[in-house]
Amino acid sequence: MMPRWLRWAILALVMIFLIGPFFVIAAAALHGGETLAFPPKDLTLKWVWKVFEVESFRASFGLSILLAIGGTALALVLGVPAAYALDRFRPKGSEAIRLMVTAPIIVPGIIVGLALLRYLVIPVDLPMIAALFVAHTALLIPYAVRVVSASLANLRVDIEEAAVLLGCSRIGAFVRVTLPNIKSGIFAAFILGFVTSFNQVPISLFLAGPGVSTLPIDMLWFMEFTYDPSVAALSALLALMSMAVVLVAERLLGFSRYV
Amino acid sequence: MSDPRYLALDNLTLAYGGSVAVQDLSLTVKQGELIALLGPSGCGKTTTMRAIAGLMPVAGGTVTLAGRDLTHLAPNKRGIGLVFQSYALFPHLSVEDNVAFGLKLKGVPAAERAARVKNALARVDLAHLADRLPKALSGGQQQRVALARSIVVEPGLLLLDEPLSNLDARLRLEMRSELARLQRELGITMIYVTHDQAEALALADRIVVMRAGKIEQQGTPEEIYERPVSSFVARFMGFENCFALEEHKLVGAGGVLPAPAGASSAGLAWRPRGVQLGSGPHQGEVLGASYQGQSVEYLIQSAAGPIKAEADSSAPRHAVGATVAFDLPLSSAAPLTSVD
């Protein structure tokens, strides 16, 4: 048994390692000078305001939100029926299908990005936005299937039969009985998908081009030319946004049960 | 007049994939009758019930209800209620909304709906819990909600799948009499699936004993309990000593005993109560004795194998290891037409 102080020290080190960078960045955003610096001197909020004035940030933020919402929604439209079919009908090879559906989580994003660029975008001359949309949707399907599967597994199959015997059609039973009971799972999958898509870098890196870029990629490009604290300010804002989303989700439906 | 062929199953055959679960089963049910489908698990009773409800495709034969052919009709168009073993309540709806579910689908106007829901909940004594969610209810209460949800739509037939098996013993008795009362009051035709013979005996107008996808015997509870036709039904009804009858000998697992004079059936069966202890033509060693309060149960090693006998606890006791005389009188035996 290690002494009490040592346990606390280890815990403190882990916490500093995990969330320390956030505080460093947040503090750097308040620096009054023209370059990134820590610890900050001459505290100011002007870099925070500058974030909202950079034209490309506004455009890429818009695209990122669009991809995150649209990609997650499409992933759910495809993923919920897939999860339902895998759980209820247990088709032949359903374990293999489940594995394949979840495989994209394991494949490094950088490979997926390169493959999509080389074998989809270039040969069919797919527009960048469409390519990003396809890539993000594909990336999010595993999350949708997994999270929705988990909440389906907790639901009894016979409630649908009960609904049918009371007069529902099969689809009516799904809509009236199954869907309301897995809606917090679907919402959790949405939040998880949104955050994953929004913070996605490696896949987007290959598929972004001039004028078409997601926010994280745009930040990388921005830093190549401008080394002022506005990037730190934007990072801090994004981190706060993600925290707020997850916090609200946790409050509303106990998000941590699903992920 | 009540229709004797209100529900008719004619030559019903049901299969899962390649394996036949129910073979060529025919059964008719009168309007207002309460039938118990009784049998061990795997005998096809639940499968038969699911086929009547339309949840299981029919491989052969027909199902008709009130003159209408249901064989290939979708389950939501049959007007048949089913109370599930697990209750299958909708977890996201209150008790009231669970019960109102079927009425809403039928488009019953709100005022009438509210009145009928209230009435159904009152019948099962749950009016005070109308706005609870199912998870806040006990097993017995959930069972009542499931019952109310099924009867409120006034189904032409109500199926009950082992409805009491998830309740404790005391509640089971209580719900049993409640079910009987409801059936009397509403006059609904019911098919009650169970593996518990006491439940079937207490509730049913008629018991249908099933075995391996076929009907083994059907009759009133008295007929089934007192005159089982086969050793399968006999054992189910407590005739624990079953023998085949061959050339005036009782053939048991361990050997033979002389048969009582005048016996002519394919087999004979006795309840432990029916074995007469202390006198008689046979002898056996007492292998075990267990005190049951009012009675004592003995296990006796006879020439035809172990025999179970029961005697009043006020009668003279027989010690383990002692040799005791006993009789298997024809008067207390059930004649069997098939033994296995």
Side-chain angles (χ1 to χ4, degrees), chain B residues 46-69:
Chain B
T46 297
T47 310
T48 305
M49 186 206 68
R50 289 178 63 83
I52 297 171
L55 297 173
M56 163 99 201
V58 171
T62 57
V63 179
T64 41
L65 181 67
R68 193 160 69 125
D69 184 0

Side-chain angles (χ1 to χ4, degrees), chain A residues 51-242:
Chain A
V51 167
F52 296 96
E53 283 158 13
V54 177
E55 183 56 38
S56 75
F57 282 167
R58 288 215 291 250
S60 58
F61 179 77
L63 181 63
S64 276
I65 291 282
L66 188 77
L67 280 176
I69 292 177
T72 309
L74 185 58
L76 280 169
V77 166
L78 298 169
V80 171
Y84 183 82
L86 285 173
D87 186 72
R88 294 292 142 90
F89 305 126
R90 300 187 186 279
K92 266 204 187 108
S94 63
E95 278 317 302
I97 295 171
R98 206 180 279 277
L99 200 68
M100 273 167 60
V101 168
T102 39
I105 294 181
I106 306 159
V107 178
I110 202 131
I111 295 176
V112 176
L114 179 62
L116 278 170
L117 179 68
R118 177 64 189 81
Y119 296 103
L120 185 68
V121 177
I122 295 174
V124 292
D125 203 14
L126 198 66
M128 286 298 183
I129 290 195
L132 279 168
F133 195 65
V134 167
H136 278 239
T137 302
L139 173 78
L140 301 177
I141 285 177
Y143 296 99
V145 172
R146 289 209 125 172
V147 176
V148 174
S149 286
S151 61
L152 271 172
N154 292 327
L155 199 61
R156 295 198 58 95
V157 186
D158 49 17
I159 63 168
E160 271 181 41
E161 292 183 339
V164 165
L165 289 173
L166 288 167
C168 276
S169 63
R170 274 277 167 199
I171 291 175
F174 176 78
V175 173
R176 282 165 188 271
V177 169
T178 305
L179 217 46
N181 283 301
I182 60 169
K183 69 168 189 255
S184 28
I186 291 177
F187 189 54
F190 188 88
I191 300 288
L192 185 64
F194 182 92
V195 173
T196 306
S197 163
F198 200 88
N199 296 331
Q200 220 295 316
V201 172
I203 298 179
S204 306
L205 198 53
F206 278 92
L207 301 175
V212 181
S213 148
T214 62
L215 190 54
I217 309 301
D218 200 29
M219 287 165 70
L220 277 175
W221 290 347
F222 184 85
M223 275 186 66
E224 287 180 18
F225 302 103
T226 321
Y227 198 63
D228 71 22
S230 58
V231 167
L234 179 52
S235 305
L237 287 174
L238 290 179
L240 284 173
M241 188 186 88
S242 287

